[in-house]
Amino acid sequence: MACANLVKLNSPSSLWIGQQSFSQRRGSSARRVAASPIRAGAYTDELVKTAKSIASPGRGILAIDESNATCGKRLASIGLDNTEANRQAYRQLLLTTPGLGEYISGAILFEETLYQSTTDGKKFVDCLREEKIVPGIKVDKGLVPLPGSNNESWCQGLDGLASRSAEYYKQGARFAKWRTVVSIPNGPSALAVKEAAWGLARYAAISQDNGLVPIVEPEILLDGDHPIERTLEVAEKVWAEVFFYLAQNNVTFEGILLKPSMVTPGAEHKEKASPETIAKYTLTMLRRRVPPAVPGIMFLSGGQSEAEATLNLNAMNQSPNPWHVSFSYARALQNSVLKTWQGRPENVDAAQKALLVRAKANSMAQLGKYSAEGENEEAKKGMFVKGYTY
């Protein structure tokens, strides 16, 4: 480590959540960190302004940062080949939707998309800016097996992140996303949680140093048959660890956004939870772990149906929260769009209208005013995929 005050990462890490590894911090002189002033970075004011802009009333994030391989799977579902031209056509459909900025404040792009233009030669980032949508960029390099763990993963991508982030900023990106995952059926081990939290914290600090608002996303996967109480227990442990390391890395909380999983039962649990129950457990976790300095909580949908994701968000906005509670959805905004489009130019207008329908529904949910009346059956179909990769 470059500084003796930083926390060591080589402590025993094979224990499971709920055992000693998470309590060693309390009262342990080895874990104490000397207080030091946090200096404002060159981009601090801009970061705070950007985060507030994204966390604006009635708006949320459109996530279209799927890797080329994952985007190929989406295209294959409607009979299209995974070519750059087809990926560009689909993302052009999404990013040029008239009026999208009324409901969407930010769009997370894959690197390919950040540098692409429309077929008329207009940069996608300029299309977004005209709608007052902040361009964002996925910066992680994906999940790989974590040696020494219980068949768990860690997220790679810190090498070269500073230089890449600087280039993304020049291209017009103003926020970043880094997705790592925690699996409840596989433990989770203290090693996996610590690795996830430390990686997120280093990424967040590097992003802020280069002018990008970091979205902090430790996704707790839906896989498993555990009850909602177990999800709450794990989520509290994970977010405690994340904020510990964010603080150690001098991350400015006012200049970040969170992208948590909702606290739900495992996808294979015998009993489904109501939106009111999910809201209760999720908000309990957030109030226990997330400082009010954080401007926005932008939930991931994680395989819920379009309607479920919207109903659950709406339930969480029935009373005031310390933060902007909104959405950062991929499948829960795109599923109906893709099925409407079918790769046909004559369906573009209808597909864009389908996107506006979903975006408006989630905008109303952010305001706590959504009604599921009139939702079609397609929107109610679940999208959970066991072992899903992004």
Side-chain angles (χ1 to χ4, degrees), residues 305-338:
S305 73
E306 291 177 330
E308 280 177 330
T310 309
L311 282 165
N312 292 338
L313 177 63
N314 186 68
M316 280 182 258
N317 282 299
Q318 293 308 299
S319 58
N321 292 302
W323 341 261
H324 175 80
V325 175
S326 192
F327 59 93
S328 177
Y329 292 164
R331 286 174 285 175
L333 282 172
Q334 295 182 50
N335 191 51
S336 295
V337 180
L338 198 61

Side-chain angles (χ1 to χ4, degrees), residues 213-252:
V213 170
I215 289 183
V216 179
E217 181 184 358
E219 180 176 354
I220 298 171
L221 298 172
L222 280 174
D223 303 61
D225 59 1
H226 50 276
I228 196 169
E229 291 81 6
R230 175 61 176 155
T231 308
L232 175 64
E233 176 190 11
V234 172
E236 288 184 350
K237 295 295 186 183
V238 169
W239 281 106
E241 198 85 343
V242 167
F243 272 100
F244 177 77
Y245 287 121
L246 287 173
Q248 293 308 303
N249 281 274
N250 293 332
V251 171
T252 302

Side-chain angles (χ1 to χ4, degrees), residues 83-97:
T83 65
E84 182 178 353
N86 284 337
R87 294 193 298 271
Q88 179 193 32
Y90 178 52
R91 285 161 172 164
Q92 178 172 322
L93 180 162
L94 297 169
L95 299 178
T96 61
T97 298

Side-chain angles (χ1 to χ4, degrees), residues 338-352:
L338 198 61
K339 292 184 177 181
T340 302
W341 178 46
Q342 291 295 317
R344 299 172 184 167
E346 64 269 25
N347 292 342
V348 167
D349 287 347
Q352 290 181 330

